[in-house]
Amino acid sequence: MSNNTMDSKTHWSHIYQTKSPLNVSWYQAQPDLSLGMIHQTHVGSQAQIIDVGAGASTLVDHLLMLDYQHITLLDISSEALNITHQRLGEAKSAQIQWLVGDITHITLPEKAYDIWHDRAVFHFLSQPPQRSRD
């Protein structure tokens, strides 16, 4: 694991250890824009959806309410995903594929997702080495 990955992991883990998801600037109780964009794709409830940088987002709650069946959440912070897991409870959490990893280093299966949702992950990759993959 590179120093940049460890620094990012430490950074995001610290945020989710010390702040409530309700108190971060990017929190949305109702992710209307994301839900609208997903709806505009006209994929059905069987679509494979990945939320990259899912954090403690409520998007997954809404996707489950809309009966989407195949949702993957990916985040560099296990703390963030644990918050979502606890919020959803065991029954709903069992319906989700949980991935902890850095999007710049994790290997995802090819052509596995119909929808890739990323609200701001790439915004934080501000340095050229962060944006290139070895």
Side-chain angles (χ1 to χ4, degrees):
M1 189 176 288
S2 72
N3 285 342
N4 283 341
T5 298
M6 185 54 71
D7 292 344
S8 292
K9 180 176 178 67
T10 301
H11 170 79
W12 290 109
S13 293
H14 177 74
I15 286 174
Y16 285 103
Q17 289 169 350
T18 59
K19 293 184 179 187
S20 163
L22 304 175
N23 294 330
V24 293
S25 63
W26 56 88
Y27 174 77
Q28 293 179 313
Q30 180 73 27
D32 291 326
L33 182 60
S34 295
L35 289 169
M37 292 170 90
I38 291 168
H39 178 73
Q40 287 176 358
T41 67
H42 301 288
V43 298
S45 63
Q46 296 300 312
Q48 297 283 340
I49 300 174
I50 186 168
D51 187 5
V52 178
S57 167
T58 62
L59 178 64
V60 66
D61 307 59
H62 296 278
L63 291 173
L64 288 170
M65 283 188 280
L66 294 169
D67 204 31
Y68 285 95
Q69 305 292 309
H70 304 287
I71 304 167
T72 300
L73 302 182
L74 168 65
D75 202 276
I76 197 169
S77 169
S78 60
E79 289 83 1
L81 293 177
N82 286 337
I83 291 167
T84 302
H85 190 281
Q86 289 175 5
R87 185 182 68 241
L88 292 175
E90 287 303 319
K92 288 182 181 176
S93 291
Q95 299 174 52
I96 306 301
Q97 181 178 6
W98 304 88
L99 298 176
V100 176
D102 182 335
I103 190 56
T104 64
H105 292 92
I106 196 167
T107 300
L108 298 172
E110 289 186 34
K111 301 179 184 178
Y113 304 105
D114 300 304
I115 295 179
W116 172 296
H117 177 268
D118 156 24
R119 187 159 164 255
V121 171
F122 293 105
H123 167 80
F124 291 101
L125 304 178
S126 58
Q127 301 302 313
Q130 294 172 307
R131 293 189 300 263
S132 67
R133 182 171 178 172
D134 298 346

